[in-house]
mmCIF file of all heavy atoms in Angstrom:
data_model
loop_
_atom_site.group_PDB
_atom_site.id
_atom_site.type_symbol
_atom_site.label_atom_id
_atom_site.label_comp_id
_atom_site.label_asym_id
_atom_site.label_seq_id
_atom_site.Cartn_x
_atom_site.Cartn_y
_atom_site.Cartn_z
ATOM 1 N N GLY A 1 0.794 -1.211 0.000
ATOM 2 C CA GLY A 1 0.000 0.000 0.000
ATOM 3 C C GLY A 1 0.827 1.263 0.000
ATOM 4 O O GLY A 1 1.851 1.386 -0.668
ATOM 5 N N THR A 2 0.369 2.230 0.791
ATOM 6 C CA THR A 2 0.992 3.543 0.818
ATOM 7 C C THR A 2 2.439 3.482 1.299
ATOM 8 O O THR A 2 3.303 4.185 0.774
ATOM 9 C CB THR A 2 0.180 4.488 1.726
ATOM 10 O OG1 THR A 2 -1.172 4.518 1.258
ATOM 11 C CG2 THR A 2 0.752 5.890 1.694
ATOM 12 N N ASP A 3 2.713 2.641 2.290
ATOM 13 C CA ASP A 3 4.085 2.536 2.794
ATOM 14 C C ASP A 3 5.032 2.077 1.695
ATOM 15 O O ASP A 3 6.142 2.599 1.556
ATOM 16 C CB ASP A 3 4.150 1.551 3.971
ATOM 17 C CG ASP A 3 3.509 2.111 5.231
ATOM 18 O OD1 ASP A 3 3.313 3.338 5.286
ATOM 19 O OD2 ASP A 3 3.208 1.320 6.130
ATOM 20 N N ARG A 4 4.592 1.092 0.930
ATOM 21 C CA ARG A 4 5.438 0.589 -0.137
ATOM 22 C C ARG A 4 5.656 1.663 -1.211
ATOM 23 O O ARG A 4 6.744 1.788 -1.761
ATOM 24 C CB ARG A 4 4.797 -0.662 -0.745
ATOM 25 C CG ARG A 4 5.679 -1.323 -1.762
ATOM 26 C CD ARG A 4 5.236 -2.675 -2.214
ATOM 27 N NE ARG A 4 3.928 -3.113 -1.798
ATOM 28 C CZ ARG A 4 3.258 -4.046 -2.461
ATOM 29 N NH1 ARG A 4 3.758 -4.566 -3.558
ATOM 30 N NH2 ARG A 4 2.089 -4.454 -2.046
ATOM 31 N N LEU A 5 4.609 2.416 -1.494
ATOM 32 C CA LEU A 5 4.718 3.483 -2.480
ATOM 33 C C LEU A 5 5.711 4.542 -2.024
ATOM 34 O O LEU A 5 6.588 4.972 -2.786
ATOM 35 C CB LEU A 5 3.341 4.109 -2.704
ATOM 36 C CG LEU A 5 3.276 5.329 -3.610
ATOM 37 C CD1 LEU A 5 3.758 4.992 -5.006
ATOM 38 C CD2 LEU A 5 1.856 5.886 -3.658
ATOM 39 N N GLU A 6 5.596 4.970 -0.786
ATOM 40 C CA GLU A 6 6.517 5.991 -0.270
ATOM 41 C C GLU A 6 7.950 5.466 -0.257
ATOM 42 O O GLU A 6 8.898 6.200 -0.567
ATOM 43 C CB GLU A 6 6.101 6.410 1.138
ATOM 44 C CG GLU A 6 4.794 7.182 1.197
ATOM 45 C CD GLU A 6 4.860 8.531 0.508
ATOM 46 O OE1 GLU A 6 5.981 9.016 0.209
ATOM 47 O OE2 GLU A 6 3.794 9.119 0.255
ATOM 48 N N ALA A 7 8.113 4.186 0.092
ATOM 49 C CA ALA A 7 9.455 3.608 0.090
ATOM 50 C C ALA A 7 10.020 3.571 -1.318
ATOM 51 O O ALA A 7 11.207 3.839 -1.536
ATOM 52 C CB ALA A 7 9.417 2.199 0.688
ATOM 53 N N ALA A 8 9.193 3.239 -2.298
ATOM 54 C CA ALA A 8 9.651 3.211 -3.686
ATOM 55 C C ALA A 8 10.068 4.600 -4.156
ATOM 56 O O ALA A 8 11.092 4.769 -4.832
ATOM 57 C CB ALA A 8 8.554 2.654 -4.594
ATOM 58 N N ILE A 9 9.290 5.611 -3.780
ATOM 59 C CA ILE A 9 9.630 6.980 -4.154
ATOM 60 C C ILE A 9 10.946 7.392 -3.498
ATOM 61 O O ILE A 9 11.829 7.985 -4.143
ATOM 62 C CB ILE A 9 8.486 7.939 -3.766
ATOM 63 C CG1 ILE A 9 7.273 7.706 -4.678
ATOM 64 C CG2 ILE A 9 8.938 9.398 -3.852
ATOM 65 C CD1 ILE A 9 6.042 8.482 -4.270
ATOM 66 N N ASP A 10 11.097 7.077 -2.218
ATOM 67 C CA ASP A 10 12.331 7.433 -1.517
ATOM 68 C C ASP A 10 13.549 6.775 -2.167
ATOM 69 O O ASP A 10 14.600 7.416 -2.350
ATOM 70 C CB ASP A 10 12.240 7.023 -0.046
ATOM 71 C CG ASP A 10 11.271 7.883 0.749
ATOM 72 O OD1 ASP A 10 10.901 8.970 0.247
ATOM 73 O OD2 ASP A 10 10.875 7.458 1.854
ATOM 74 N N ARG A 11 13.410 5.492 -2.521
ATOM 75 C CA ARG A 11 14.535 4.793 -3.133
ATOM 76 C C ARG A 11 14.866 5.363 -4.511
ATOM 77 O O ARG A 11 16.029 5.481 -4.887
ATOM 78 C CB ARG A 11 14.242 3.292 -3.224
ATOM 79 C CG ARG A 11 14.310 2.570 -1.888
ATOM 80 C CD ARG A 11 14.331 1.066 -2.078
ATOM 81 N NE ARG A 11 13.099 0.572 -2.656
ATOM 82 C CZ ARG A 11 12.014 0.223 -1.937
ATOM 83 N NH1 ARG A 11 12.031 0.360 -0.614
ATOM 84 N NH2 ARG A 11 10.938 -0.255 -2.531
ATOM 85 N N ALA A 12 13.813 5.714 -5.250
ATOM 86 C CA ALA A 12 14.041 6.301 -6.570
ATOM 87 C C ALA A 12 14.761 7.633 -6.455
ATOM 88 O O ALA A 12 15.713 7.919 -7.197
ATOM 89 C CB ALA A 12 12.708 6.471 -7.297
ATOM 90 N N GLU A 13 14.325 8.464 -5.519
ATOM 91 C CA GLU A 13 14.947 9.784 -5.374
ATOM 92 C C GLU A 13 16.396 9.654 -4.902
ATOM 93 O O GLU A 13 17.264 10.416 -5.351
ATOM 94 C CB GLU A 13 14.112 10.630 -4.415
ATOM 95 C CG GLU A 13 12.764 11.028 -5.028
ATOM 96 C CD GLU A 13 11.879 11.796 -4.070
ATOM 97 O OE1 GLU A 13 12.105 11.699 -2.833
ATOM 98 O OE2 GLU A 13 10.952 12.484 -4.545
ATOM 99 N N GLU A 14 16.666 8.699 -4.014
ATOM 100 C CA GLU A 14 18.042 8.480 -3.574
ATOM 101 C C GLU A 14 18.897 7.991 -4.736
ATOM 102 O O GLU A 14 20.044 8.446 -4.922
ATOM 103 C CB GLU A 14 18.069 7.457 -2.436
ATOM 104 C CG GLU A 14 19.467 7.105 -1.953
ATOM 105 C CD GLU A 14 20.236 8.315 -1.435
ATOM 106 O OE1 GLU A 14 19.599 9.261 -0.920
ATOM 107 O OE2 GLU A 14 21.489 8.319 -1.558
ATOM 108 N N ARG A 15 18.363 7.093 -5.531
ATOM 109 C CA ARG A 15 19.099 6.605 -6.702
ATOM 110 C C ARG A 15 19.430 7.760 -7.656
ATOM 111 O O ARG A 15 20.543 7.845 -8.193
ATOM 112 C CB ARG A 15 18.228 5.552 -7.409
ATOM 113 C CG ARG A 15 18.642 5.194 -8.830
ATOM 114 C CD ARG A 15 19.771 4.215 -8.866
ATOM 115 N NE ARG A 15 20.113 3.837 -10.232
ATOM 116 C CZ ARG A 15 21.004 2.920 -10.555
ATOM 117 N NH1 ARG A 15 21.651 2.276 -9.592
ATOM 118 N NH2 ARG A 15 21.260 2.630 -11.809
ATOM 119 N N LEU A 16 18.485 8.654 -7.839
ATOM 120 C CA LEU A 16 18.695 9.754 -8.786
ATOM 121 C C LEU A 16 19.662 10.803 -8.255
ATOM 122 O O LEU A 16 20.310 11.501 -9.032
ATOM 123 C CB LEU A 16 17.348 10.381 -9.150
ATOM 124 C CG LEU A 16 16.461 9.461 -10.001
ATOM 125 C CD1 LEU A 16 15.052 10.009 -10.108
ATOM 126 C CD2 LEU A 16 17.073 9.265 -11.389
ATOM 127 N N ARG A 17 19.761 10.905 -6.943
ATOM 128 C CA ARG A 17 20.802 11.786 -6.397
ATOM 129 C C ARG A 17 22.190 11.223 -6.721
ATOM 130 O O ARG A 17 23.140 11.973 -6.955
ATOM 131 C CB ARG A 17 20.625 11.937 -4.887
ATOM 132 C CG ARG A 17 19.548 12.951 -4.497
ATOM 133 C CD ARG A 17 19.551 13.260 -3.017
ATOM 134 N NE ARG A 17 19.017 12.151 -2.227
ATOM 135 C CZ ARG A 17 17.729 12.021 -1.917
ATOM 136 N NH1 ARG A 17 16.847 12.913 -2.356
ATOM 137 N NH2 ARG A 17 17.317 11.007 -1.182
ATOM 138 N N GLN A 18 22.284 9.910 -6.746
ATOM 139 C CA GLN A 18 23.564 9.265 -7.034
ATOM 140 C C GLN A 18 23.827 9.139 -8.540
ATOM 141 O O GLN A 18 24.961 9.291 -8.992
ATOM 142 C CB GLN A 18 23.593 7.876 -6.389
ATOM 143 C CG GLN A 18 23.474 7.896 -4.873
ATOM 144 C CD GLN A 18 23.326 6.506 -4.288
ATOM 145 O OE1 GLN A 18 23.398 5.508 -5.004
ATOM 146 N NE2 GLN A 18 23.098 6.427 -2.979
ATOM 147 N N VAL A 19 22.742 8.860 -9.303
ATOM 148 C CA VAL A 19 22.886 8.646 -10.753
ATOM 149 C C VAL A 19 21.820 9.475 -11.456
ATOM 150 O O VAL A 19 20.783 8.961 -11.884
ATOM 151 C CB VAL A 19 22.746 7.158 -11.125
ATOM 152 C CG1 VAL A 19 23.113 6.932 -12.595
ATOM 153 C CG2 VAL A 19 23.570 6.278 -10.212
ATOM 154 N N PRO A 20 22.027 10.781 -11.576
ATOM 155 C CA PRO A 20 20.978 11.647 -12.136
ATOM 156 C C PRO A 20 20.651 11.370 -13.591
ATOM 157 O O PRO A 20 19.606 11.810 -14.075
ATOM 158 C CB PRO A 20 21.555 13.051 -11.950
ATOM 159 C CG PRO A 20 23.026 12.857 -11.807
ATOM 160 C CD PRO A 20 23.211 11.551 -11.134
ATOM 161 N N GLY A 21 21.501 10.639 -14.291
ATOM 162 C CA GLY A 21 21.236 10.328 -15.687
ATOM 163 C C GLY A 21 20.506 9.020 -15.903
ATOM 164 O O GLY A 21 20.386 8.564 -17.049
ATOM 165 N N ASP A 22 19.976 8.405 -14.850
ATOM 166 C CA ASP A 22 19.291 7.114 -14.956
ATOM 167 C C ASP A 22 17.849 7.349 -15.417
ATOM 168 O O ASP A 22 16.939 7.542 -14.621
ATOM 169 C CB ASP A 22 19.319 6.418 -13.604
ATOM 170 C CG ASP A 22 18.698 5.022 -13.639
ATOM 171 O OD1 ASP A 22 18.109 4.672 -14.674
ATOM 172 O OD2 ASP A 22 18.799 4.318 -12.630
ATOM 173 N N TYR A 23 17.639 7.303 -16.720
ATOM 174 C CA TYR A 23 16.321 7.609 -17.268
ATOM 175 C C TYR A 23 15.273 6.568 -16.885
ATOM 176 O O TYR A 23 14.081 6.869 -16.795
ATOM 177 C CB TYR A 23 16.398 7.755 -18.786
ATOM 178 C CG TYR A 23 16.629 6.477 -19.558
ATOM 179 C CD1 TYR A 23 15.548 5.720 -20.010
ATOM 180 C CD2 TYR A 23 17.913 6.021 -19.847
ATOM 181 C CE1 TYR A 23 15.759 4.549 -20.716
ATOM 182 C CE2 TYR A 23 18.129 4.856 -20.545
ATOM 183 C CZ TYR A 23 17.042 4.117 -20.985
ATOM 184 O OH TYR A 23 17.241 2.959 -21.674
ATOM 185 N N VAL A 24 15.703 5.327 -16.637
ATOM 186 C CA VAL A 24 14.769 4.282 -16.210
ATOM 187 C C VAL A 24 14.153 4.642 -14.860
ATOM 188 O O VAL A 24 12.947 4.534 -14.645
ATOM 189 C CB VAL A 24 15.491 2.928 -16.136
ATOM 190 C CG1 VAL A 24 14.585 1.862 -15.530
ATOM 191 C CG2 VAL A 24 15.960 2.494 -17.513
ATOM 192 N N THR A 25 15.003 5.099 -13.946
ATOM 193 C CA THR A 25 14.503 5.453 -12.622
ATOM 194 C C THR A 25 13.640 6.711 -12.668
ATOM 195 O O THR A 25 12.656 6.827 -11.933
ATOM 196 C CB THR A 25 15.674 5.624 -11.645
ATOM 197 O OG1 THR A 25 16.405 4.402 -11.601
ATOM 198 C CG2 THR A 25 15.186 5.961 -10.249
ATOM 199 N N TRP A 26 14.000 7.673 -13.548
ATOM 200 C CA TRP A 26 13.140 8.853 -13.702
ATOM 201 C C TRP A 26 11.734 8.425 -14.143
ATOM 202 O O TRP A 26 10.724 8.954 -13.661
ATOM 203 C CB TRP A 26 13.733 9.826 -14.707
ATOM 204 C CG TRP A 26 14.806 10.718 -14.163
ATOM 205 C CD1 TRP A 26 16.130 10.719 -14.475
ATOM 206 C CD2 TRP A 26 14.635 11.773 -13.192
ATOM 207 N NE1 TRP A 26 16.807 11.686 -13.763
ATOM 208 C CE2 TRP A 26 15.912 12.353 -12.971
ATOM 209 C CE3 TRP A 26 13.537 12.274 -12.495
ATOM 210 C CZ2 TRP A 26 16.109 13.417 -12.091
ATOM 211 C CZ3 TRP A 26 13.729 13.337 -11.610
ATOM 212 C CH2 TRP A 26 15.010 13.890 -11.413
ATOM 213 N N ALA A 27 11.665 7.472 -15.074
ATOM 214 C CA ALA A 27 10.354 7.000 -15.533
ATOM 215 C C ALA A 27 9.593 6.313 -14.405
ATOM 216 O O ALA A 27 8.384 6.512 -14.228
ATOM 217 C CB ALA A 27 10.524 6.054 -16.713
ATOM 218 N N ALA A 28 10.303 5.490 -13.623
ATOM 219 C CA ALA A 28 9.662 4.805 -12.504
ATOM 220 C C ALA A 28 9.173 5.807 -11.459
ATOM 221 O O ALA A 28 8.094 5.652 -10.880
ATOM 222 C CB ALA A 28 10.637 3.819 -11.876
ATOM 223 N N LEU A 29 9.973 6.844 -11.211
ATOM 224 C CA LEU A 29 9.574 7.865 -10.236
ATOM 225 C C LEU A 29 8.320 8.594 -10.712
ATOM 226 O O LEU A 29 7.398 8.857 -9.926
ATOM 227 C CB LEU A 29 10.715 8.856 -10.022
ATOM 228 C CG LEU A 29 10.434 9.999 -9.043
ATOM 229 C CD1 LEU A 29 10.137 9.463 -7.645
ATOM 230 C CD2 LEU A 29 11.624 10.972 -9.006
#
């Protein structure tokens, strides 16, 4: 549910801070 969604968003944003050119993660976010 919502917890999983928020966790997914947090992980995506952390990934993008490390790899801002990851277009796959931008799409997932």
